[in-house]
C-alpha cells in the first residue's frame, strides 16, 4: 500500500471490509496474468481515497456506469465464477456509508476507488490521544 500514512474515518468496519474485498477480488479475477495490482491510499484535508488499479486481461468495451450495475460483467465470455454483483455491492455499500465509489477505465487499465470524508479530530480528542 502506497500513499498517505493514515486516514482516520468513522464508518462501519464490516461494510468497508466488504467493499475492499470486492474491489480486490475484481482486480484479481480480471487482471492480465503476470501483471501487478496497485493499491493506494491518498488523502486531502477533508477526504481519503483507496484505489485499486490493475491491467485488464480482456478488452474493456463498457462504461464505468455499466460495470457497476448488478449482474454486469466486463468480460461477457466469462460464464464461471462470480455473479456480477461485486462492484454493484461495493458501490451500494459506499453510498450507504456516505462515501463515493468511482470506476475509471483508461485503455487496458481498470481502477476502482472509494472516497470517504475524513474524521475531524476535535481539540478534546487530540488531547486524549496525547495522554
Amino acid at each position: 500500500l502506497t500513499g498517505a500514512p493514515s486516514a482516520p474515518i468513522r464508518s462501519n468496519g464490516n461494510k468497508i471490509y466488504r467493499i475492499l474485498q470486492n474491489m480486490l477480488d475484481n482486480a484479481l479475477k480480471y487482471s492480465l496474468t503476470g501483471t501487478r495490482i496497485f493499491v493506494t491510499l491518498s488523502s486531502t484535508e477533508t477526504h481519503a481515497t483507496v484505489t485499486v488499479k490493475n491491467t485488464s486481461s480482456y478488452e474493456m468495451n463498457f462504461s464505468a456506469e455499466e460495470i457497476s450495475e448488478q449482474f454486469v460483467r466486463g468480460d461477457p465470455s466469462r460464464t464461471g465464477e462470480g455473479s456480477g454483483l461485486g462492484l454493484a455491492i461495493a458501490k451500494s455499500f459506499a453510498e450507504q456509508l456516505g462515501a463515493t465509489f468511482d470506476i475509471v477505465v483508461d485503455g487496458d487499465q481498470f481502477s476502482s476507488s472509494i472516497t470517504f470524508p475524513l474524521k475531524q479530530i476535535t481539540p478534546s480528542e487530540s488531547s486524549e490521544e496525547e495522554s
Side-chain angles (χ1 to χ4, degrees):
L1 184 66
T2 60
S6 69
I9 62 171
R10 286 189 199 264
S11 198
N12 179 308
N14 290 331
K15 286 188 177 180
I16 292 173
Y17 176 85
R18 183 71 185 273
I19 293 167
L20 294 173
Q21 180 182 39
N22 288 1
M23 290 167 64
L24 289 167
D25 283 350
N26 186 75
L28 289 167
K29 282 182 192 175
Y30 300 113
S31 287
L32 183 64
T33 302
T35 60
R36 294 178 282 177
I37 295 171
F38 296 91
V39 179
T40 57
L41 170 64
S42 58
S43 64
T44 65
E45 289 187 23
T46 59
H47 290 83
T49 301
V50 175
T51 301
V52 177
K53 184 175 183 177
N54 65 286
T55 302
S56 178
S57 63
Y58 59 93
E59 187 174 349
M60 295 183 284
N61 293 323
F62 54 82
S63 70
E65 294 78 27
E66 290 172 323
I67 197 63
S68 62
E69 296 299 318
Q70 290 186 7
F71 308 112
V72 174
R73 291 183 179 168
D75 183 357
S77 68
R78 290 184 70 101
T79 57
E81 64 189 82
S83 61
L85 286 172
L87 296 179
I89 289 170
K91 180 180 178 183
S92 174
F93 280 8
E95 290 169 351
Q96 291 172 23
L97 298 175
T100 58
F101 184 79
D102 296 299
I103 293 174
V104 175
V105 177
D106 183 16
D108 65 351
Q109 298 293 300
F110 180 90
S111 66
S112 56
S113 300
I114 183 166
T115 302
F116 285 95
L118 285 175
K119 172 186 166 188
Q120 300 302 313
I121 298 176
T122 64
S124 63
E125 288 175 320
S126 180
S127 62
E128 288 172 13
E129 289 177 5
E130 291 173 6
S131 48

